Amino acid sequence: MVKRSITYLRSYQAVWASHQTCLTLVVTLIWMTGFYSVYTFLGTFATTQFHLNTLQVGELFSLYGACNFVASFFSGHLMTHVGALKAVRVHGTLSALMILGMVVGRHSLVIVAVSLGGLALVQGLGVPALTTYVVNLLPAQRSTVTAFNSSFLYLGLTLSSLVGGLGYAWIGFSGIALVAAGMLLLAVGLTVLVERVSGDEEDFFER
């Protein structure tokens, strides 16, 4: 039992010692906080803006689920061709654009639905790429990194629900969506720093 606890502790120490891994986990946190800020309050917005009933809101979210399923199913094929980090950048940027589409077309249910379907597709391609990238940074601690990645994802969900709930009352859904789009672009921008840190760490270990 003691030996196993020491092994766990060393795995955690290895994760925290990797600046690249920690920074990528921050990317996950920012990405998920931004995304869930929109996703969590979309139902409230749709009910208020378009006077949808519970069944209609469920149908709107089923559109997201179906599109996300299809995109996630084929995400591995895409990553094989373009690479995980590039897929993260492309689909993180497209996610921000889809959210902005909801803001611009907020008075049209069709535009909101199309933007939501597009968001589902690019999230279904981008999130698996981000997960694949981070869990492969430290192969010897893959299970620990996976646990950290999941915890940061749920922390993002927690923060988005807490802060988004307050923000919705002050700046409305459009305001939350604009902040979320900015957070996704920030996450994309941080991937450049992730790549730079990766090069610095490789140079350090080669010395």
Side-chain angles (χ1 to χ4, degrees):
M1 180 65 71
V2 175
K3 184 177 181 180
R4 183 175 298 178
S5 299
I6 293 175
T7 301
Y8 287 155
L9 179 60
R10 287 176 177 172
S11 294
Y12 277 87
Q13 289 174 335
V15 172
W16 289 121
S18 171
H19 295 159
Q20 185 186 13
T21 303
C22 291
L23 188 56
T24 307
L25 290 171
V26 172
V27 171
T28 298
L29 176 62
I30 294 173
W31 179 305
M32 293 305 170
T33 302
F35 166 72
Y36 279 116
S37 295
V38 172
Y39 188 80
T40 301
F41 297 97
L42 179 61
T44 302
F45 165 75
T47 301
T48 304
Q49 183 74 10
F50 304 112
H51 308 290
L52 302 183
N53 58 38
T54 304
L55 176 61
Q56 291 169 327
V57 171
E59 291 173 345
L60 183 63
F61 278 94
S62 70
L63 169 66
Y64 180 92
C67 293
N68 194 259
F69 167 77
V70 172
S72 299
F73 190 83
F74 293 103
S75 61
H77 180 73
L78 177 69
M79 280 185 282
T80 301
H81 286 80
V82 304
L85 197 57
K86 185 175 181 180
V88 169
R89 290 170 180 166
V90 170
H91 295 103
T93 302
L94 291 175
S95 293
L97 293 177
M98 292 299 107
I99 292 173
L100 292 176
M102 292 185 192
V103 176
V104 174
R106 62 189 178 277
H107 299 298
S108 169
L109 179 58
V110 173
I111 295 177
V112 170
V114 170
S115 298
L116 178 63
L119 179 62
L121 290 172
V122 294
Q123 283 285 307
L125 295 168
V127 173
L130 180 56
T131 301
T132 299
Y133 183 79
V134 69
V135 300
N136 283 294
L137 290 175
L138 296 173
Q141 283 78 37
R142 186 174 283 112
S143 61
T144 304
V145 176
T146 300
F148 266 86
N149 188 64
S150 296
S151 66
F152 272 62
L153 186 155
Y154 289 116
L155 178 59
L157 173 58
T158 303
L159 293 175
S160 66
S161 299
L162 177 63
V163 178
L166 296 173
Y168 193 92
W170 295 341
I171 57 180
F173 180 79
S174 295
I176 290 176
L178 290 174
V179 173
M183 294 184 73
L184 282 162
L185 292 176
L186 174 61
V188 170
L190 285 176
T191 63
V192 177
L193 185 57
V194 167
E195 196 168 33
R196 186 175 302 173
V197 169
S198 173
D200 291 343
E201 288 186 347
E202 288 176 1
D203 292 340
F204 176 80
F205 286 116
E206 286 176 358
R207 292 173 184 172

